[in-house]
Amino acid sequence: MSESTRLNAVRAVTNFNLADRKSKIKDADVKEIFASNVFSDEVQRARLPEAIYKSLQKTIKKGEPLDPNVADVVATAMKEWALEKGATHYTHWFQPMTGLTAEKHDSFVMPTATGKIIMEFGGGELIRGEPDASSFPSGGIRATFEARGYTAWDPSSPAFILDSPNGSTLCIPTAFCSWTGEALDKKTPLLRSIDALSAQAVRILKLFGSSASRVESTCGPEQEYFLIDRNFYFARLDLLNAGRTLFGAKPPKGQEMEDHYFGSIPERVLAFMQEVEHELYKLGVPVKTRHNEVAPAQYEIAPVFEQANVATDHNMLVMETMKRVAQRYGMELILHEKPFAGVNGSGKHVNWSMSDDLGNNLLKPGATPHDNAQFLVFMTAVIRAVHKYSKLLRLAIASASNDHRLGANEAPPAIISVFLGDMLQDIVEQIEKGGAKSTKTGGEMKIGASVLPTLPKDAGDRNRTSPFAFTGNKFEFRAVGSSQSIAGPILVLNAIVAESLDYIATELEKTGKKGEDLNPEIQKLLQKIITEHKAVIFNGDGYSEAWHAEAAKRGLPNRKTAVESLPDFISPESIELFGKYGIFTEREIHARYEILLEGYKKAINIEAQLTAQIAKKQIIPACLRYQTQIAASVAALKGAGVEVPASQLGLLNDLTSTIATLQERVEKLTKVSDHHADGDSLAHATYSRDVVIPAMLSVREAADKLEIMVADDFWPLPTYQEMLFIK
Ligand code: ADP
Ligand code: MG
């Protein structure tokens, strides 16, 4: 018998030599390299005529439409800059509904009449590209109109240069739309939601006498991930094709020793992190924090927050850069929400706030009664939004892979609630009672008359079980999956908060009052809003059974799986909300709904096929070989006239019957996954969830049992123990 791929993998891992990747990055000057590959504000200022620079800044900072005359000049400056940096090609970089990024490279090369070439790049090429859209998910939008889509320059996210070993490419962040103007990507609706939020937030600021003219949502995503040796990865077809393990018995040691979180970072991993940071610094991504996470082989990277659109592009770059760099260190980056059963999965804490163009964080409690009043209005708007539209927030994080996490006693539950912390909770209660005396602060909270006590900043860390927590000066949406684009969750937040701010602004504007006189009106309105929406506030243990019962009593929805959640997208209230603020047309919503359901079904289908394939081609053959060996040993004893011990016969019997069970279950799985449910996409997804997933789990159960029975040198798949602990 040839040696198992698994044992070969183990040996190859221990041969990895870190010294081979001694890096030149060690002596790099971080200040020097930061944003060195970005067509940044500084570069623009230095290279563009002043009038052009100013016009471009208006588009970037104020969201004003781009002056077409500007594009040609910018393109020329951008080209010269990129050529100096060694770029030979440019690409429109966009984020189709695959959840990944897409790029098609064109060179600057243009042949001349004399048989030579010149390097060319004009405003036309900068502003618009025409990738063939027919191979990207469109949910039916494209099919009925035009196959072609176009990419449109997004000046609010800076262009950058990606270096690769044999050259460099100028990447231009773009939105991706159909010819009829429908969004086919993640960026377009995000940009629309930022504008919607800005318009409504500015109305509120105006009531408080502010001169701000633009509000941005800000975001800092904390990204969790796993790293395992590539030798293991290639020996696990499930990881390779589905991003998660579909088999694997629980190892003797998991995460119960609690010895990994914030533990010392393994040398190879640290070297990887340092190279990742180096690459990201060049791209102007302000990565700041790195540490071990709770599960073995799990880590986190977090940047300093940025404007939401840039933060979204940067998070895509973080994921892609990590993927690339990991391979240089003989490791594979795993972004799936639940790559290993039995240990923690990975999420992405999306820290979110709003900031005006005067530099104020609108969720930062102020030091004066006036600032407090404004803070409490924005805070209350968020509470109302999350309560009123909790189904849409749940929907923004719905996927087959995130279903493994939500509600699985490690990540926040699928019930969306808001955590405020003791102090803010107390303040909210006082507002509700109309300014009653507080037991906690001794004071009385009257809007416009009193100063808030200083709120503790670390409130959120005391409650990791809440999906949506206020953490001092921002909210932290913790239920987002590690592999998801943050565009969706942010756009939903922006949209629902815009609607709340709209409501509040309209109510307050109606009173016709201003300045000090407005305070009693605010007091009354916030009191009403809190009374109506306080049901969403929950400061207790989100994992407990008691909370599930309590949440149901409060009427909070509990969409346990993506299949239950996705239909909320096409609900009248969703269509009304997104339509009202120009974020999605009804057609776009229906298209995306189809794409999401389709994605769910395909993910389960791939997993089902892989489960059957691995069981049939790897696990069962190994088990049969082992069975033959035991049978031979039993026969040998018999032949030698030695009584065969019952324990050995028992082993053989157990093995034989478990193999038979596994075979039966594989057959059943094949049958159910070949069957096509009648009905629409929702019926298909429901069938996948209710029939295919259980069939898959039952195959796994029998196979995992065999993993424990079969001799180590026969077992074909790298084990959990090996993948998680050999570093
Ligand atoms: P932790 O949540 O682990 O305690 P921090 O509170 O320091 O860590 O920050 C977590 C993330 O929140 C960081 O990416 C940080 O930049 C981001 N953050 C801080 N302030 C804001 C804000 N106003 N808007 C959005 N994100 C923010
Ligand atoms: Mg955090």
Side-chain angles (χ1 to χ4, degrees):
M1 189 198 91
S2 65
E3 186 170 54
S4 80
T5 42
R6 180 185 133 235
L7 293 176
N8 280 329
V10 174
R11 220 176 321 276
V13 174
T14 51
N15 284 337
F16 181 84
N17 188 357
L18 187 56
D20 293 346
R21 264 219 73 79
K22 261 247 158 57
S23 167
K24 58 219 174 293
I25 64 177
K26 213 170 136 197
D27 301 319
D29 178 348
V30 174
K31 274 204 249 144
E32 209 38 43
I33 61 161
F34 190 80
S36 58
N37 276 9
V38 182
F39 194 65
S40 60
D41 187 80
E42 203 185 4
V43 177
Q44 290 168 27
R45 200 191 295 261
R47 290 178 177 253
L48 295 173
E50 201 181 319
I52 301 281
Y53 170 78
K54 280 200 173 133
S55 168
L56 181 60
Q57 284 303 307
K58 265 195 206 145
T59 302
I60 296 172
K61 300 246 164 78
K62 308 262 181 216
E64 287 179 18
L66 185 77
D67 174 355
N69 300 323
V70 164
D72 262 326
V73 186
V74 176
T76 304
M78 206 185 265
K79 179 191 74 182
E80 272 158 20
W81 170 78
L83 292 176
E84 281 167 32
K85 294 253 156 211
T88 53
H89 289 63
Y90 68 93
T91 180
H92 277 197
W93 186 77
F94 59 104
Q95 296 161 39
M97 294 301 296
T98 53
L100 306 169
T101 60
E103 50 194 75
K104 180 189 123 206
H105 298 193
D106 280 301
S107 82
F108 294 119
V109 168
M110 185 56 78
T112 62
T114 57
K116 295 276 188 186
I117 54 156
I118 50 165
M119 300 304 243
E120 222 178 59
F121 182 64
E125 284 114 325
L126 170 62
I127 290 185
R128 195 154 84 182
E130 291 179 26
D132 182 3
S134 61
S135 301
F136 296 103
S138 75
I141 278 183
R142 238 187 17 235
T144 43
F145 287 84
E146 267 266 19
R148 293 184 83 77
Y150 69 94
T151 48
W153 179 35
D154 165 22
S156 65
S157 182
F160 55 90
I161 290 175
L162 264 190
D163 294 327
S164 47
N166 293 329
S168 300
T169 308
L170 169 66
C171 300
I172 302 156
T174 52
F176 179 42
C177 297
S178 74
W179 274 114
T180 42
E182 273 129 342
L184 295 174
D185 70 346
K186 306 254 175 190
K187 187 190 272 280
T188 306
L190 174 64
L191 292 174
R192 293 170 180 166
S193 78
I194 292 170
D195 285 345
L197 179 70
S198 178
Q200 301 309 325
V202 165
R203 278 175 73 196
I204 300 281
L205 289 176
K206 208 164 253 141
L207 285 167
F208 282 97
S210 163
S211 63
S213 62
R214 175 87 182 162
V215 168
E216 295 284 350
S217 53
T218 53
C219 172
E222 302 166 59
Q223 175 74 51
E224 294 179 340
Y225 59 95
F226 279 85
L227 279 176
I228 66 161
D229 193 278
R230 288 201 102 195
N231 293 290
F232 292 140
Y233 180 72
F234 289 129
R236 297 275 324 209
L237 292 177
D238 44 4
L239 276 177
L240 186 70
N241 290 295
R244 74 176 182 107
T245 56
L246 300 166
F247 296 97
K250 191 179 168 325
K253 181 179 190 269
Q255 64 190 45
E256 48 281 274
M257 300 298 283
E258 300 178 328
D259 54 358
H260 196 254
Y261 189 61
F262 282 12
S264 74
I265 303 172
E267 199 175 53
R268 172 153 60 137
V269 174
L270 185 55
F272 150 85
M273 289 173 168
Q274 285 159 337
E275 189 163 335
V276 164
E277 287 161 7
H278 179 87
E279 297 275 314
L280 289 171
Y281 287 155
K282 285 200 289 185
L283 300 173
V285 182
V287 280
K288 179 144 177 93
T289 311
R290 60 182 182 217
H291 61 79
N292 284 5
E293 258 303 324
V294 172
Q298 192 188 30
Y299 312 92
E300 182 181 295
I301 182 170
V304 175
F305 72 94
E306 300 176 280
Q307 189 269 340
N309 176 36
V310 177
T312 302
D313 286 356
H314 281 175
N315 182 247
M316 298 309 288
L317 286 176
V318 165
M319 294 193 283
E320 284 168 6
T321 304
M322 288 203 295
K323 192 127 203 127
R324 242 189 352 258
V325 174
Q327 296 174 0
R328 300 179 195 156
Y329 288 85
M331 295 186 291
E332 190 64 33
L333 176 82
I334 298 176
L335 288 173
H336 193 283
E337 281 72 8
K338 191 75 180 178
F340 304 99
V343 297
N344 268 21
S346 300
K348 184 138 55 186
H349 292 178
V350 174
N351 294 273
W352 176 94
S353 187
M354 295 163 276
S355 182
D356 68 20
D357 54 356
L358 309 174
N360 303 305
N361 175 358
L362 304 181
L363 288 176
K364 187 172 181 254
T368 65
H370 174 272
D371 288 347
N372 295 163
Q374 186 185 305
F375 162 74
L376 289 168
V377 165
F378 280 100
M379 162 66 62
T380 309
V382 177
I383 294 171
R384 176 182 175 277
V386 175
H387 185 233
K388 191 164 176 212
Y389 295 106
S390 76
K391 289 179 198 159
L392 299 186
L393 265 186
R394 167 67 183 90
L395 162 77
I397 49 164
S399 73
S401 51
N402 212 18
D403 275 359
H404 294 282
R405 261 177 90 236
L406 299 178
N409 246 24
E410 53 156 73
I415 307 165
I416 303 287
S417 65
V418 179
F419 172 88
L420 290 181
D422 290 348
M423 211 62 138
L424 200 53
Q425 173 69 31
D426 182 54
I427 291 160
V428 162
E429 277 166 18
Q430 290 176 59
I431 294 175
E432 191 197 351
K433 290 181 196 137
K437 210 165 172 64
S438 162
T439 46
K440 289 227 169 55
T441 60
E444 202 182 358
M445 182 68 227
K446 268 256 193 257
I447 286 171
S450 46
V451 175
L452 289 174
T454 314
L455 300 174
K457 204 213 141 253
D458 62 344
D461 277 348
R462 282 185 276 111
N463 188 324
R464 311 286 297 180
T465 67
S466 176
F468 198 78
F470 184 71
T471 49
N473 57 7
K474 62 187 188 292
F475 278 95
E476 187 167 332
F477 191 12
R478 299 208 179 102
V480 182
S482 48
S483 71
Q484 290 173 323
S485 158
I486 58 175
I490 297 176
L491 88 82
V492 171
L493 265 170
N494 289 348
I496 65 181
V497 173
E499 193 274 342
S500 263
L501 293 172
D502 184 359
Y503 165 77
I504 294 175
T506 305
E507 291 299 307
L508 294 179
E509 283 163 4
K510 262 193 234 158
T511 67
K513 303 230 166 93
K514 281 220 163 71
E516 295 281 294
D517 294 345
L518 198 58
N519 287 332
E521 303 296 335
I522 297 174
Q523 174 82 37
K524 255 194 294 185
L525 182 60
L526 296 196
Q527 190 174 3
K528 173 172 181 284
I529 295 175
I530 286 168
T531 310
E532 284 170 8
H533 298 285
K534 66 179 177 185
V536 78
I537 302 171
F538 177 63
N539 294 308
D541 178 3
Y543 296 166
S544 68
E545 277 302 315
W547 169 234
H548 284 235
E550 165 72 14
K553 233 191 298 169
R554 292 189 193 184
L556 301 181
N558 184 3
R559 305 288 200 240
K560 292 205 174 91
T561 64
V563 179
E564 282 156 276
S565 172
L566 291 176
D568 291 328
F569 203 1
I570 53 168
S571 67
E573 64 162 351
S574 163
I575 291 167
E576 154 81 25
L577 173 85
F578 290 122
K580 181 166 179 195
Y581 296 100
I583 296 167
F584 288 125
T585 62
E586 184 166 354
R587 211 172 127 65
E588 286 171 333
I589 289 179
H590 277 278
R592 268 155 215 258
Y593 169 68
E594 286 300 325
I595 293 172
L596 288 165
L597 278 175
E598 201 42 31
Y600 179 91
K601 196 194 75 185
K602 281 183 187 155
I604 306 296
N605 188 36
I606 290 170
E607 289 186 354
Q609 291 191 41
L610 275 168
T611 301
Q613 183 197 344
I614 293 169
K616 270 198 228 165
K617 294 175 76 113
Q618 292 185 279
I619 296 175
I620 294 171
C623 293
L624 291 177
R625 280 198 292 270
Y626 182 53
Q627 175 184 273
T628 307
Q629 195 174 61
I630 300 179
S633 123
V634 165
L637 289 181
K638 275 192 188 148
V642 179
E643 191 190 335
V644 183
S647 60
Q648 288 186 25
L649 278 177
L651 175 62
L652 188 56
N653 278 331
D654 273 357
L655 193 60
T656 314
S657 69
T658 314
I659 296 172
T661 305
L662 176 59
Q663 284 173 315
E664 276 161 34
R665 291 180 180 182
V666 170
E667 227 153 87
K668 167 138 193 249
L669 172 63
T670 309
K671 213 159 89 202
V672 300
S673 58
D674 281 350
H675 173 79
H676 294 285
D678 295 332
D680 57 6
S681 321
L682 182 60
H684 292 169
T686 308
Y687 176 83
S688 299
R689 183 194 60 187
D690 296 342
V691 182
V692 182
I693 291 178
M696 240 160 53
L697 284 174
S698 85
V699 169
R700 178 181 185 149
E701 196 227 14
D704 289 356
K705 218 188 248 172
L706 284 162
E707 182 183 330
I708 294 166
M709 295 163 77
V710 169
D712 189 65
D713 54 337
F714 282 86
W715 194 253
L717 305 175
T719 65
Y720 270 30
Q721 212 164 1
E722 290 159 347
M723 289 186 287
L724 294 173
F725 291 99
I726 300 181
K727 284 170 188 149

